[in-house]
Amino acid sequence: MTVIDKLRDLQEARDLALITPSDAAHRARLLLDHDGMDTVDLAKFLEGKGYSGHALMAAVGSFGKAVKAEYIAQRGKPPLRVDEVVNGQHYLVNAYVELDLPMIERVFEVWS
């Protein structure tokens, strides 16, 4: 079973209320860290496309919503959320992995 299969199983367990969303996020982070699979940071993705400063901050929210909408359209459910630490604060963020990059690129082409 691949890490993607395990993540999908976690998502299914979360959707069926077998585990809490925060437990699913914690387990997903452990799986990703153990497997060495990096999540795709949408802010860094946009930085790579030339966004910075205020333009980046203004863009990341609407771009993230567009990526999430496309993910749901393709898979029929929202992406798994993982625990991320940003400036010492813990946040649940949507988890996209390297396999999602082609979809993220397509969303960027339409969104930009």
Side-chain angles (χ1 to χ4, degrees), residues 25 81-94:
R81 295 168 63 89
V82 296
D83 187 42
E84 286 285 329
V85 179
V86 179
N87 297 328
Q89 297 288 327
H90 287 266
Y91 296 94
L92 288 178
V93 299
N94 293 325

Side-chain angles (χ1 to χ4, degrees), residues 5-23:
D5 294 331
K6 291 176 184 177
L7 288 171
R8 287 186 183 127
D9 286 349
L10 274 176
Q11 189 170 24
E12 187 71 22
R14 179 206 61 198
D15 293 346
L16 294 171
L18 298 174
I19 58 176
T20 65
S22 61
D23 189 31

Side-chain angles (χ1 to χ4, degrees), residues 39-108:
T39 56
V40 175
D41 183 326
L42 294 182
K44 288 181 183 174
F45 176 86
L46 288 173
E47 284 176 349
K49 298 293 187 180
Y51 286 80
S52 63
H54 291 294
L56 173 64
M57 297 308 290
V60 76
S62 64
F63 181 63
K65 289 175 185 167
V67 172
K68 180 180 178 181
E70 180 62 19
Y71 187 98
I72 292 169
Q74 286 186 10
R75 296 186 174 90
K77 57 183 89 177
L80 192 63
R81 295 168 63 89
V82 296
D83 187 42
E84 286 285 329
V85 179
V86 179
N87 297 328
Q89 297 288 327
H90 287 266
Y91 296 94
L92 288 178
V93 299
N94 293 325
Y96 304 102
V97 294
E98 294 166 1
L99 294 173
D100 295 320
L101 273 174
M103 176 201 64
I104 294 169
E105 288 282 355
R106 284 192 306 276
V107 170
F108 180 77

